[in-house]
Amino acid sequence: MTTHQNAPLTPHPSRRLGATGPSVFPLGLGCMGMSALYGEADRSESIATIHAALDAGVTLLDTGDFYGMGHNELLINEALRTAPAAAREQALTSVKFGALRTVEGGFAGYDGRPDAVRNFLAYSLQRLGRDHVDVYRIARVDPDVPIEETVGAIAEAVQAGHVRHIGLSEVGAETLRRAAAVAPISDLQIEYSLISRGIEEEILPTARELGIGVTAYGVLSRGLISGHFGRDRALAPGDFRGMSPRFQGDNLDRNLDLVDALRKVADSKGVSVAQIAIAWVLARGEDIVPLVGARRRDRLDEALGALDVELTAADLTAIEEAVPAGAAAGDRYPEAQMAHLDSEH
């Protein structure tokens, strides 16, 4: 398995988030799991992981203001405050907003009104301890507010210097076009992996036509295709995967059969399953930046190793024979959450 422990990271060309966005390290760090949805996380290990990512050259830190109801932004604040000045200065924050929460931790819809955009942003800047957010995006389209109004409010924040770039999350091709007609869009954050390839038909071509980059989350499908998730694994209370269709019953068995097939390809190259899955996403285009949700330094180290995995045409064929497009069993979210995805309509 390719790792980088106790060794300098091989330099890798940066990737740009679309025609108008910033240049970033080719992998971003998704910080959600350090605060929410996957059970308890170790705060000190989370901060050490962010520090290790910055030390390795990672620049993009992705979060949401509703991850742990602000906990994740405060965690990033602490990690950046305690990082070396050079690492702190290179860090870019990508923030999702708009999700409404309950005291019990439930979700209560989305708010994309301009006044709400300004309110959410003010709180995020305070929690992050920064005077701007590098990329700001609504987490899901508010069905009661035209996307033009939401994007227009973010564009005003760009003019005021509180936001550097406008992003989008989980939107379909039509919404992408409408948003881009209002203001420059740097990137679309959307799920993309070997077993979540829905964007390839219409959304990805539209993004490329418009000069919009992609930050791909779920590249390991929440650990499902990481090579570390076993059939008998017990999930902690509150772990999102306990409700995710792809982790249920026969669906889980069928999906782990795909992982077993992928493992044979990974073994033939002397790399891990996670590394070949991340490398596949990296190979889909220079305009795609995978977000890895590592909560620990060893998982981060493994993910970074994907940058040194070179996939030949024969490798890509073998990977897609092991995990054909559309082969995944079950939706990527429970039915109620799928209804909130503009990208699925």
Side-chain angles (χ1 to χ4, degrees), residues 206-227:
T206 300
R208 285 175 167 162
E209 175 193 335
L210 298 170
I212 296 170
V214 169
T215 41
Y217 76 88
V219 293
L220 297 180
S221 300
R222 298 165 183 81
L224 182 59
I225 60 171
S226 67

Side-chain angles (χ1 to χ4, degrees), residues 2 39 53 66 82 86 90 97 107 116 145 158 172-173 190 192 198 211 229 231 237 252 256 279 283 296 310:
T2 305
F66 51 93
T82 55
Q90 76 179 6
F97 69 90
F107 285 87
V145 178
V158 172
I190 196 163
Y192 189 36
F229 199 95
R231 284 174 168 80
L252 178 61
L256 289 180
R296 303 185 337 226
E310 297 182 8

Side-chain angles (χ1 to χ4, degrees), residues 270-312:
V271 302
S272 74
V273 174
Q275 287 169 341
I276 207 162
I278 297 168
W280 180 87
V281 179
L282 283 163
R284 304 307 286 176
E286 295 292 321
D287 55 348
I288 297 173
V289 175
L291 300 173
V292 295
R295 301 196 294 172
R296 303 185 337 226
R297 284 167 286 182
D298 59 335
R299 293 288 192 253
L300 171 68
D301 193 70
E302 180 182 26
L304 290 169
L307 294 167
D308 293 330
V309 177
E310 297 182 8
L311 298 178
T312 65

Side-chain angles (χ1 to χ4, degrees), residues 153-220:
I154 305 174
E156 291 176 2
V158 172
Q159 290 296 318
H162 303 314
V163 170
R164 293 284 190 265
H165 305 280
I166 305 170
L168 292 168
S169 176
E170 286 290 353
V171 304
E174 179 186 352
T175 303
L176 204 56
R177 291 187 187 281
R178 288 170 53 196
V182 174
I185 306 297
S186 67
D187 69 304
L188 168 64
Q189 187 173 123
I190 196 163
E191 186 165 355
Y192 189 36
S193 73
L194 269 169
I195 65 170
S196 294
R197 297 180 60 175
I199 72 170
E200 293 177 347
E201 183 175 346
E202 186 178 12
I203 294 174
L204 183 56
T206 300
R208 285 175 167 162
E209 175 193 335
L210 298 170
I212 296 170
V214 169
T215 41
Y217 76 88
V219 293
L220 297 180

